[in-house]
Amino acid sequence: MEVIDISLLGMDVAAIMLIIFSATFISKEFSHDAIHTSLAITPLRQKFYLSKILFIMILSLIISITLTLIIFGLDQLVLLTNNMRTVSLNDQVLLSKLFGTVILPLFYSLLSAAGTFYFRSAAGGIMFAIGVMFLPALMKLFPASFSDMVLMLLPEKSLHILTEMSTVTFNGQLMSAILILLSWILISNILGLWKLKKADF
């Protein structure tokens, strides 16, 4: 399990790459010719917005699942070559880790897309998503009484809870983590859609 834990850390790099891709993909729509063409094809801005977000969500999910399975397969080979027992997909601990690993890039790519719509630039979307990703490290520099309260509202702790689902008793902790992640996605996308509707192209 330690081998798998270490290798799955590579998905942080995948998350950053998807953040950059999502922001770049969305920002191309804000060039003068592209946005007028897109809105002429899809006059309803809400439909235009949701189609882009849905594309990012599906693509990120496919890439996340594919990379996670590749990493898992390589880990099994490493274990076999070192005469170690492989890990079965029936293992609940492993499944929770893989599930949380898949959600990580998906979550941050959606934040990046929403941030790009709000700031109307790739740099804005990238900075927003990466800022949310690395903000917990900054918060830990503050006194525990303050940082613990803020960290509860940031997505990092909730994402960590999803990867450790097998150790969480049904006491509302898992539900709270899911609600926090959904809140980040919903609020950021509501703001992104509001900014798109308000913009005068």
Side-chain angles (χ1 to χ4, degrees):
M1 196 59 75
E2 288 179 5
V3 172
I4 292 172
D5 281 339
I6 292 169
S7 62
L8 289 179
L9 291 175
M11 288 301 287
D12 288 342
V13 178
I16 292 173
M17 296 302 292
L18 279 172
I19 285 171
I20 295 170
F21 169 79
S22 301
T24 305
F25 174 78
I26 299 295
S27 66
K28 288 180 179 177
E29 294 292 340
F30 289 107
S31 65
H32 180 74
D33 293 333
I35 193 65
H36 283 90
T37 302
S38 297
L39 292 178
I41 296 171
T42 314
L44 287 175
R45 296 191 180 190
Q46 182 174 348
K47 187 176 179 181
F48 169 72
Y49 182 93
L50 291 176
S51 67
K52 297 299 176 184
I53 293 297
L54 185 61
F55 173 79
I56 292 293
M57 183 176 71
I58 293 172
L59 182 65
S60 298
L61 189 59
I62 291 171
I63 291 173
S64 296
I65 292 173
T66 303
L67 288 176
T68 301
L69 290 176
I70 289 172
I71 291 172
F72 174 70
L74 291 174
D75 286 340
Q76 297 288 64
L77 286 175
V78 170
L79 293 172
L80 284 171
T81 54
N82 286 278
N83 298 317
M84 298 172 70
R85 183 175 61 85
T86 58
V87 184
S88 171
L89 279 173
N90 293 325
D91 190 300
Q92 187 181 355
V93 175
L94 174 65
L95 286 177
S96 66
K97 287 183 183 298
L98 295 180
F99 177 76
T101 302
V102 167
I103 294 299
L104 174 73
L106 172 63
F107 175 79
Y108 285 111
S109 64
L110 290 176
L111 283 191
S112 177
T116 305
F117 269 111
Y118 185 85
F119 295 105
R120 279 196 276 175
S121 73
I126 292 168
M127 290 303 296
F128 172 64
I130 290 182
V132 172
M133 181 184 284
F134 290 104
L135 188 59
L138 178 63
M139 287 296 104
K140 289 173 184 176
L141 299 176
F142 291 90
S145 57
F146 172 75
S147 62
D148 289 347
M149 181 176 62
V150 176
L151 288 171
M152 287 178 61
L153 302 176
L154 293 176
E156 184 199 44
K157 186 175 181 180
S158 296
L159 288 167
H160 179 71
I161 288 172
L162 288 184
T163 63
E164 304 294 337
M165 283 189 294
S166 59
T167 63
V168 179
T169 56
F170 194 76
N171 57 4
Q173 190 178 8
L174 180 59
M175 187 60 67
S176 175
I178 293 172
L179 288 175
I180 287 172
L181 294 177
L182 287 176
S183 297
W184 274 92
I185 294 296
L186 288 174
I187 293 171
S188 60
N189 278 284
I190 287 170
L191 291 173
L193 178 58
W194 170 76
K195 196 67 178 285
L196 179 65
K197 287 183 174 181
K198 183 182 176 184
D200 183 19
F201 297 108

